[in-house]
Amino acid sequence: MNPPDPNRRDPMDGAQAPPTPATASPEAGWKRNVAGSLAFLRRRLNGEYEIDDFGYDPDFTEHVLLPPLRLLYDKWFRIETIDIENVPSTGGALLVANHSGTIAVDAVMTAVALHDHHPAHRPLRMLGADLIFDTPVLGPLARRAGNTLACNEDAERLLNAGEAVSVFPEGFKGVGKPFSQRYKLQRFGRGGFVAAAIRTGVPIIPCAIVGAEEIYPLLGNIKPLARALGLPYFPVTPTFPLLGPLGAIPLPSKWLIEFGEPIATDHLPDGASEDPMVVFNLADRVRETIQQALYRLLLRRGHPYLG
């Protein structure tokens, strides 16, 4: 289990920020925040920032996207990570996780965990559905955060470049499943993520997330409205659409995220990625590993809101 790391790195200079003492005065913290904001604006105005071929903007991610997500991570969901050191500090790695929660908050919380609490403070490059990138505002923000389409070509480019990449094979079947099926993994598709890992020779890290199922318990799905809006489902939860915009506030469930032991792929023979049985067996092994971890974590967590 990993406590919050006060020494987060600024992606613009590679140096560690000075620790913030618990006794630091509010005035000092306020001045530091203002100075950081002014420095960020200066870099944006002067064009002193980098964006990679996928649209990833580390400076924007660190100073605009991550601060509000950290509040959810630390204060609202009270997330604890387990064995995060199983993610290698360097080189390509493919994280494979369960998916749930009506809205894919679990994906961004996993990214915060790896960025803030891994010893190497690694950015997580997530693979997402077309719908995400076709959505106004959300699509450009997802690109700036370093995410890209869930296709083998993009996945392999990132893995070959030594990035940590995440995939959620359940897709919308996992995110949109009813609350009665919580923590029961859906199908993992045809194992495209396994083929990408084998072709690039990177380890697969099974990742189990407990807590996301309870933030928006899905009680129903208004299918005609979902079809009219071009959505995979239109959720009915205890608070939405009954409470309108207030229903978008997630319930404060307690989260645990466990990073399992790496599953090596670099020992497999040439052509293994084209062998359906090899791909299926490895995908099934990853799925079963995550499912068993979910059962363990549920017992460890106890009550979903009082933990």
Side-chain angles (χ1 to χ4, degrees):
M1 190 176 300
N2 303 91
D5 187 343
N7 299 320
R8 297 188 178 104
R9 298 186 300 176
D10 189 320
M12 294 307 297
D13 59 18
Q16 287 188 331
T20 303
T23 57
S25 70
E27 181 181 0
W30 177 82
K31 289 181 177 179
R32 185 166 52 250
N33 290 337
V34 170
S37 298
L38 291 174
F40 170 75
L41 290 174
R42 185 188 69 247
R43 289 194 298 272
R44 307 313 288 188
L45 292 172
N46 295 337
E48 297 173 356
Y49 57 92
E50 296 181 357
I51 297 177
D52 72 7
D53 293 342
F54 291 90
Y56 177 42
D57 185 338
D59 190 33
F60 183 87
T61 300
E62 173 66 35
H63 294 93
V64 176
L65 299 181
L66 283 174
L69 295 177
R70 285 180 181 129
L71 290 176
L72 282 176
Y73 185 102
D74 294 325
K75 305 300 183 182
W76 196 248
F77 299 136
R78 311 173 309 284
I79 296 176
E80 297 178 20
T81 61
I82 301 166
D83 295 333
I84 198 169
E85 296 85 359
N86 279 331
V87 180
S89 294
T90 59
L94 183 65
L95 277 71
V96 181
N98 59 301
H99 214 13
S100 63
T102 305
I103 297 176
V105 179
D106 52 1
V108 291
M109 290 298 104
T110 304
V112 174
L114 206 64
H115 181 279
D116 285 3
H117 301 286
H118 189 275
H121 301 278
R122 298 197 68 173
L124 185 60
R125 311 297 292 269
M126 296 182 285
L127 305 179
D130 294 6
L131 177 63
I132 295 171
F133 300 99
D134 292 339
T135 302
V137 180
L138 178 60
L141 289 178
R143 287 287 186 187
R144 283 185 176 272
N147 308 315
T148 189
L149 293 172
C151 64
N152 277 10
E153 292 79 7
D154 283 1
E156 290 174 29
R157 280 183 62 196
L158 287 167
L159 292 170
N160 281 322
E163 299 284 356
V165 177
S166 68
V167 64
F168 298 81
E170 293 174 280
F172 289 122
K173 298 189 303 291
V175 182
K177 67 177 177 288
F179 190 63
S180 60
Q181 296 180 23
R182 60 193 180 277
Y183 300 114
K184 296 177 182 177
L185 290 182
Q186 307 298 297
R187 288 183 60 252
F188 265 22
R190 292 174 291 182
F193 69 93
V194 168
I198 293 174
R199 277 194 287 268
T200 55
V202 303
I204 297 173
I205 315 296
C207 181
I209 305 168
V210 160
E213 297 275 19
E214 292 89 9
I215 63 173
Y216 299 112
L218 187 65
L219 305 180
N221 173 20
I222 306 177
K223 294 182 180 180
L225 190 52
R227 285 194 295 269
L229 296 173
L231 300 173
Y233 52 87
F234 190 91
V236 176
T237 75
T239 59
F240 183 84
L242 180 64
L243 299 183
L246 290 177
I249 299 174
L251 298 177
S253 58
K254 169 65 179 177
W255 286 40
L256 300 173
I257 303 179
E258 179 178 283
F259 299 85
E261 293 186 6
I263 299 174
T265 65
D266 55 358
H267 66 288
L268 296 172
D270 293 341
S273 63
E274 309 303 324
D275 187 330
M277 286 307 299
V278 172
V279 171
F280 173 81
N281 288 336
L282 190 49
D284 192 57
R285 175 184 172 189
V286 173
R287 185 181 182 279
E288 184 61 22
T289 299
I290 296 172
Q291 184 66 80
Q292 294 304 316
L294 290 174
Y295 292 147
R296 268 198 328 274
L297 293 177
L298 285 169
L299 290 174
R300 172 171 174 168
R301 181 190 62 168
H303 196 281
Y305 300 109
L306 302 180

